[in-house]
Amino acid sequence: ANLRTQKRLAAAVLKCGQRKIWLDPNEVNEIANANSRQNIRKLAKDGLIIKKPEAAVSRFRTRERAAAKRLGRHTGPGKRKGTSEARMPTTVLWMRRMRVLRRLLRKYRESGKIDRHLYHELYMKAKGNVFKNKRVLMEYIHKAKAEKARVKLLEDQAQAHRVKAKEARTRRQGRLDAKKEALRTGTVVAEEK
């Protein structure tokens, strides 16, 4: 059976080229009877006429290669065209690092883990390239806080010691004054006798 007409009609109905039309070879007679667009639509609905999928370039090889590249393959000197600076600019690396560190500092300041003075000090240190990554900065913060706590503890102890010594001095002075007064009054009484 000659199905040229059916193929042409199907292409028009399914809005594609004739090379994309598949006609079921087992149902040739039924398709041959279809002589109107309405009939062609019905056959398409029943699956006797199908629009073939778009032929596309497969992404399989690309995905495989990308996966290998993630493991560090195909990136040796022979595969590189630009300088290391062109491939990954140091400015970009710096910006990334600064943003990470500053974000951490902001978070710590807002949550109250560090006060604004320590924040400013660390901010300027980060700008001065003191911390090479987030871990180093966090360790520094822990150390700084521990040191601050230690200094505060020592200061408090010293203050308590000073207060205690002052009280002791006051008491001693009071005792001495009382003794002097007693002696003085004692002598006065003796003279009167």
mmCIF file with all atom_site columns, all heavy atoms in Angstrom, residues 172-187:
data_model
loop_
_atom_site.group_PDB
_atom_site.id
_atom_site.type_symbol
_atom_site.label_atom_id
_atom_site.label_alt_id
_atom_site.label_comp_id
_atom_site.label_asym_id
_atom_site.label_entity_id
_atom_site.label_seq_id
_atom_site.pdbx_PDB_ins_code
_atom_site.Cartn_x
_atom_site.Cartn_y
_atom_site.Cartn_z
_atom_site.occupancy
_atom_site.B_iso_or_equiv
_atom_site.pdbx_formal_charge
_atom_site.auth_seq_id
_atom_site.auth_comp_id
_atom_site.auth_asym_id
_atom_site.auth_atom_id
_atom_site.pdbx_PDB_model_num
ATOM 1   N N   . ARG A 1 172 ? 43.098 46.747 110.900 1.00 0.00 ? 172 ARG A N   1
ATOM 2   C CA  . ARG A 1 172 ? 44.332 46.889 111.682 1.00 0.00 ? 172 ARG A CA  1
ATOM 3   C C   . ARG A 1 172 ? 44.475 48.326 112.213 1.00 0.00 ? 172 ARG A C   1
ATOM 4   O O   . ARG A 1 172 ? 44.801 48.548 113.390 1.00 0.00 ? 172 ARG A O   1
ATOM 5   C CB  . ARG A 1 172 ? 45.530 46.536 110.794 1.00 0.00 ? 172 ARG A CB  1
ATOM 6   C CG  . ARG A 1 172 ? 46.851 46.469 111.534 1.00 0.00 ? 172 ARG A CG  1
ATOM 7   C CD  . ARG A 1 172 ? 47.864 45.659 110.732 1.00 0.00 ? 172 ARG A CD  1
ATOM 8   N NE  . ARG A 1 172 ? 49.169 45.733 111.372 1.00 0.00 ? 172 ARG A NE  1
ATOM 9   C CZ  . ARG A 1 172 ? 50.082 46.685 111.132 1.00 0.00 ? 172 ARG A CZ  1
ATOM 10  N NH1 . ARG A 1 172 ? 49.845 47.623 110.242 1.00 0.00 ? 172 ARG A NH1 1
ATOM 11  N NH2 . ARG A 1 172 ? 51.235 46.691 111.772 1.00 0.00 ? 172 ARG A NH2 1
ATOM 12  N N   . GLN A 1 173 ? 44.175 49.265 111.306 1.00 0.00 ? 173 GLN A N   1
ATOM 13  C CA  . GLN A 1 173 ? 44.266 50.675 111.697 1.00 0.00 ? 173 GLN A CA  1
ATOM 14  C C   . GLN A 1 173 ? 43.279 50.972 112.827 1.00 0.00 ? 173 GLN A C   1
ATOM 15  O O   . GLN A 1 173 ? 43.603 51.674 113.794 1.00 0.00 ? 173 GLN A O   1
ATOM 16  C CB  . GLN A 1 173 ? 43.970 51.570 110.476 1.00 0.00 ? 173 GLN A CB  1
ATOM 17  C CG  . GLN A 1 173 ? 44.302 53.039 110.679 1.00 0.00 ? 173 GLN A CG  1
ATOM 18  C CD  . GLN A 1 173 ? 45.780 53.261 110.946 1.00 0.00 ? 173 GLN A CD  1
ATOM 19  O OE1 . GLN A 1 173 ? 46.629 52.686 110.272 1.00 0.00 ? 173 GLN A OE1 1
ATOM 20  N NE2 . GLN A 1 173 ? 46.092 54.058 111.957 1.00 0.00 ? 173 GLN A NE2 1
ATOM 21  N N   . GLY A 1 174 ? 42.087 50.393 112.679 1.00 0.00 ? 174 GLY A N   1
ATOM 22  C CA  . GLY A 1 174 ? 41.061 50.574 113.717 1.00 0.00 ? 174 GLY A CA  1
ATOM 23  C C   . GLY A 1 174 ? 41.533 50.038 115.058 1.00 0.00 ? 174 GLY A C   1
ATOM 24  O O   . GLY A 1 174 ? 41.357 50.689 116.098 1.00 0.00 ? 174 GLY A O   1
ATOM 25  N N   . ARG A 1 175 ? 42.162 48.820 115.008 1.00 0.00 ? 175 ARG A N   1
ATOM 26  C CA  . ARG A 1 175 ? 42.675 48.224 116.247 1.00 0.00 ? 175 ARG A CA  1
ATOM 27  C C   . ARG A 1 175 ? 43.761 49.098 116.871 1.00 0.00 ? 175 ARG A C   1
ATOM 28  O O   . ARG A 1 175 ? 43.762 49.343 118.081 1.00 0.00 ? 175 ARG A O   1
ATOM 29  C CB  . ARG A 1 175 ? 43.238 46.828 115.956 1.00 0.00 ? 175 ARG A CB  1
ATOM 30  C CG  . ARG A 1 175 ? 42.173 45.742 115.873 1.00 0.00 ? 175 ARG A CG  1
ATOM 31  C CD  . ARG A 1 175 ? 42.749 44.355 116.136 1.00 0.00 ? 175 ARG A CD  1
ATOM 32  N NE  . ARG A 1 175 ? 43.883 44.032 115.257 1.00 0.00 ? 175 ARG A NE  1
ATOM 33  C CZ  . ARG A 1 175 ? 43.780 43.525 114.032 1.00 0.00 ? 175 ARG A CZ  1
ATOM 34  N NH1 . ARG A 1 175 ? 42.561 43.292 113.527 1.00 0.00 ? 175 ARG A NH1 1
ATOM 35  N NH2 . ARG A 1 175 ? 44.850 43.253 113.322 1.00 0.00 ? 175 ARG A NH2 1
ATOM 36  N N   . LEU A 1 176 ? 44.684 49.567 116.024 1.00 0.00 ? 176 LEU A N   1
ATOM 37  C CA  . LEU A 1 176 ? 45.770 50.421 116.524 1.00 0.00 ? 176 LEU A CA  1
ATOM 38  C C   . LEU A 1 176 ? 45.218 51.693 117.163 1.00 0.00 ? 176 LEU A C   1
ATOM 39  O O   . LEU A 1 176 ? 45.655 52.123 118.245 1.00 0.00 ? 176 LEU A O   1
ATOM 40  C CB  . LEU A 1 176 ? 46.733 50.780 115.385 1.00 0.00 ? 176 LEU A CB  1
ATOM 41  C CG  . LEU A 1 176 ? 47.661 49.649 114.905 1.00 0.00 ? 176 LEU A CG  1
ATOM 42  C CD1 . LEU A 1 176 ? 48.414 50.076 113.667 1.00 0.00 ? 176 LEU A CD1 1
ATOM 43  C CD2 . LEU A 1 176 ? 48.641 49.259 116.009 1.00 0.00 ? 176 LEU A CD2 1
ATOM 44  N N   . ASP A 1 177 ? 44.240 52.307 116.455 1.00 0.00 ? 177 ASP A N   1
ATOM 45  C CA  . ASP A 1 177 ? 43.626 53.531 116.985 1.00 0.00 ? 177 ASP A CA  1
ATOM 46  C C   . ASP A 1 177 ? 42.975 53.263 118.344 1.00 0.00 ? 177 ASP A C   1
ATOM 47  O O   . ASP A 1 177 ? 43.101 54.064 119.279 1.00 0.00 ? 177 ASP A O   1
ATOM 48  C CB  . ASP A 1 177 ? 42.584 54.073 116.000 1.00 0.00 ? 177 ASP A CB  1
ATOM 49  C CG  . ASP A 1 177 ? 43.252 54.634 114.734 1.00 0.00 ? 177 ASP A CG  1
ATOM 50  O OD1 . ASP A 1 177 ? 44.495 54.763 114.737 1.00 0.00 ? 177 ASP A OD1 1
ATOM 51  O OD2 . ASP A 1 177 ? 42.530 54.910 113.742 1.00 0.00 ? 177 ASP A OD2 1
ATOM 52  N N   . ALA A 1 178 ? 42.301 52.106 118.420 1.00 0.00 ? 178 ALA A N   1
ATOM 53  C CA  . ALA A 1 178 ? 41.629 51.749 119.679 1.00 0.00 ? 178 ALA A CA  1
ATOM 54  C C   . ALA A 1 178 ? 42.655 51.571 120.800 1.00 0.00 ? 178 ALA A C   1
ATOM 55  O O   . ALA A 1 178 ? 42.458 52.019 121.931 1.00 0.00 ? 178 ALA A O   1
ATOM 56  C CB  . ALA A 1 178 ? 40.825 50.471 119.483 1.00 0.00 ? 178 ALA A CB  1
ATOM 57  N N   . LYS A 1 179 ? 43.757 50.920 120.446 1.00 0.00 ? 179 LYS A N   1
ATOM 58  C CA  . LYS A 1 179 ? 44.820 50.680 121.423 1.00 0.00 ? 179 LYS A CA  1
ATOM 59  C C   . LYS A 1 179 ? 45.387 52.005 121.932 1.00 0.00 ? 179 LYS A C   1
ATOM 60  O O   . LYS A 1 179 ? 45.555 52.229 123.133 1.00 0.00 ? 179 LYS A O   1
ATOM 61  C CB  . LYS A 1 179 ? 45.931 49.873 120.751 1.00 0.00 ? 179 LYS A CB  1
ATOM 62  C CG  . LYS A 1 179 ? 46.634 48.890 121.655 1.00 0.00 ? 179 LYS A CG  1
ATOM 63  C CD  . LYS A 1 179 ? 47.683 48.126 120.871 1.00 0.00 ? 179 LYS A CD  1
ATOM 64  C CE  . LYS A 1 179 ? 47.624 46.642 121.220 1.00 0.00 ? 179 LYS A CE  1
ATOM 65  N NZ  . LYS A 1 179 ? 48.630 45.905 120.432 1.00 0.00 ? 179 LYS A NZ  1
ATOM 66  N N   . LYS A 1 180 ? 45.683 52.906 120.952 1.00 0.00 ? 180 LYS A N   1
ATOM 67  C CA  . LYS A 1 180 ? 46.224 54.222 121.303 1.00 0.00 ? 180 LYS A CA  1
ATOM 68  C C   . LYS A 1 180 ? 45.258 54.958 122.223 1.00 0.00 ? 180 LYS A C   1
ATOM 69  O O   . LYS A 1 180 ? 45.655 55.556 123.226 1.00 0.00 ? 180 LYS A O   1
ATOM 70  C CB  . LYS A 1 180 ? 46.454 55.053 120.043 1.00 0.00 ? 180 LYS A CB  1
ATOM 71  C CG  . LYS A 1 180 ? 47.786 54.806 119.369 1.00 0.00 ? 180 LYS A CG  1
ATOM 72  C CD  . LYS A 1 180 ? 47.924 55.717 118.162 1.00 0.00 ? 180 LYS A CD  1
ATOM 73  C CE  . LYS A 1 180 ? 49.121 55.317 117.308 1.00 0.00 ? 180 LYS A CE  1
ATOM 74  N NZ  . LYS A 1 180 ? 49.067 55.992 116.014 1.00 0.00 ? 180 LYS A NZ  1
ATOM 75  N N   . GLU A 1 181 ? 43.991 54.892 121.863 1.00 0.00 ? 181 GLU A N   1
ATOM 76  C CA  . GLU A 1 181 ? 42.957 55.582 122.657 1.00 0.00 ? 181 GLU A CA  1
ATOM 77  C C   . GLU A 1 181 ? 42.927 55.010 124.071 1.00 0.00 ? 181 GLU A C   1
ATOM 78  O O   . GLU A 1 181 ? 42.852 55.755 125.058 1.00 0.00 ? 181 GLU A O   1
ATOM 79  C CB  . GLU A 1 181 ? 41.599 55.398 121.966 1.00 0.00 ? 181 GLU A CB  1
ATOM 80  C CG  . GLU A 1 181 ? 40.476 56.233 122.550 1.00 0.00 ? 181 GLU A CG  1
ATOM 81  C CD  . GLU A 1 181 ? 40.741 57.721 122.414 1.00 0.00 ? 181 GLU A CD  1
ATOM 82  O OE1 . GLU A 1 181 ? 41.331 58.166 121.394 1.00 0.00 ? 181 GLU A OE1 1
ATOM 83  O OE2 . GLU A 1 181 ? 40.354 58.446 123.343 1.00 0.00 ? 181 GLU A OE2 1
ATOM 84  N N   . ALA A 1 182 ? 43.025 53.683 124.140 1.00 0.00 ? 182 ALA A N   1
ATOM 85  C CA  . ALA A 1 182 ? 42.996 53.021 125.454 1.00 0.00 ? 182 ALA A CA  1
ATOM 86  C C   . ALA A 1 182 ? 44.195 53.455 126.295 1.00 0.00 ? 182 ALA A C   1
ATOM 87  O O   . ALA A 1 182 ? 44.065 53.756 127.491 1.00 0.00 ? 182 ALA A O   1
ATOM 88  C CB  . ALA A 1 182 ? 42.992 51.510 125.271 1.00 0.00 ? 182 ALA A CB  1
ATOM 89  N N   . LEU A 1 183 ? 45.354 53.487 125.665 1.00 0.00 ? 183 LEU A N   1
ATOM 90  C CA  . LEU A 1 183 ? 46.564 53.908 126.377 1.00 0.00 ? 183 LEU A CA  1
ATOM 91  C C   . LEU A 1 183 ? 46.423 55.347 126.871 1.00 0.00 ? 183 LEU A C   1
ATOM 92  O O   . LEU A 1 183 ? 46.759 55.683 128.007 1.00 0.00 ? 183 LEU A O   1
ATOM 93  C CB  . LEU A 1 183 ? 47.794 53.795 125.459 1.00 0.00 ? 183 LEU A CB  1
ATOM 94  C CG  . LEU A 1 183 ? 48.361 52.380 125.270 1.00 0.00 ? 183 LEU A CG  1
ATOM 95  C CD1 . LEU A 1 183 ? 49.398 52.368 124.176 1.00 0.00 ? 183 LEU A CD1 1
ATOM 96  C CD2 . LEU A 1 183 ? 48.973 51.883 126.577 1.00 0.00 ? 183 LEU A CD2 1
ATOM 97  N N   . ARG A 1 184 ? 45.900 56.186 125.967 1.00 0.00 ? 184 ARG A N   1
ATOM 98  C CA  . ARG A 1 184 ? 45.785 57.600 126.306 1.00 0.00 ? 184 ARG A CA  1
ATOM 99  C C   . ARG A 1 184 ? 44.805 57.786 127.477 1.00 0.00 ? 184 ARG A C   1
ATOM 100 O O   . ARG A 1 184 ? 45.104 58.466 128.456 1.00 0.00 ? 184 ARG A O   1
ATOM 101 C CB  . ARG A 1 184 ? 45.303 58.379 125.073 1.00 0.00 ? 184 ARG A CB  1
ATOM 102 C CG  . ARG A 1 184 ? 45.595 59.881 125.151 1.00 0.00 ? 184 ARG A CG  1
ATOM 103 C CD  . ARG A 1 184 ? 45.523 60.511 123.772 1.00 0.00 ? 184 ARG A CD  1
ATOM 104 N NE  . ARG A 1 184 ? 44.269 60.260 123.100 1.00 0.00 ? 184 ARG A NE  1
ATOM 105 C CZ  . ARG A 1 184 ? 43.150 60.968 123.379 1.00 0.00 ? 184 ARG A CZ  1
ATOM 106 N NH1 . ARG A 1 184 ? 43.152 61.918 124.277 1.00 0.00 ? 184 ARG A NH1 1
ATOM 107 N NH2 . ARG A 1 184 ? 42.035 60.693 122.736 1.00 0.00 ? 184 ARG A NH2 1
ATOM 108 N N   . THR A 1 185 ? 43.667 57.138 127.347 1.00 0.00 ? 185 THR A N   1
ATOM 109 C CA  . THR A 1 185 ? 42.689 57.264 128.434 1.00 0.00 ? 185 THR A CA  1
ATOM 110 C C   . THR A 1 185 ? 43.231 56.683 129.731 1.00 0.00 ? 185 THR A C   1
ATOM 111 O O   . THR A 1 185 ? 43.014 57.194 130.823 1.00 0.00 ? 185 THR A O   1
ATOM 112 C CB  . THR A 1 185 ? 41.358 56.594 128.043 1.00 0.00 ? 185 THR A CB  1
ATOM 113 O OG1 . THR A 1 185 ? 41.638 55.277 127.628 1.00 0.00 ? 185 THR A OG1 1
ATOM 114 C CG2 . THR A 1 185 ? 40.627 57.362 126.985 1.00 0.00 ? 185 THR A CG2 1
ATOM 115 N N   . GLY A 1 186 ? 43.984 55.587 129.592 1.00 0.00 ? 186 GLY A N   1
ATOM 116 C CA  . GLY A 1 186 ? 44.593 54.935 130.778 1.00 0.00 ? 186 GLY A CA  1
ATOM 117 C C   . GLY A 1 186 ? 45.549 55.870 131.486 1.00 0.00 ? 186 GLY A C   1
ATOM 118 O O   . GLY A 1 186 ? 45.532 56.008 132.709 1.00 0.00 ? 186 GLY A O   1
ATOM 119 N N   . THR A 1 187 ? 46.391 56.545 130.733 1.00 0.00 ? 187 THR A N   1
ATOM 120 C CA  . THR A 1 187 ? 47.361 57.475 131.316 1.00 0.00 ? 187 THR A CA  1
ATOM 121 C C   . THR A 1 187 ? 46.644 58.644 131.985 1.00 0.00 ? 187 THR A C   1
ATOM 122 O O   . THR A 1 187 ? 47.024 59.106 133.049 1.00 0.00 ? 187 THR A O   1
ATOM 123 C CB  . THR A 1 187 ? 48.332 58.013 130.251 1.00 0.00 ? 187 THR A CB  1
ATOM 124 O OG1 . THR A 1 187 ? 47.581 58.544 129.169 1.00 0.00 ? 187 THR A OG1 1
ATOM 125 C CG2 . THR A 1 187 ? 49.258 56.910 129.748 1.00 0.00 ? 187 THR A CG2 1
#
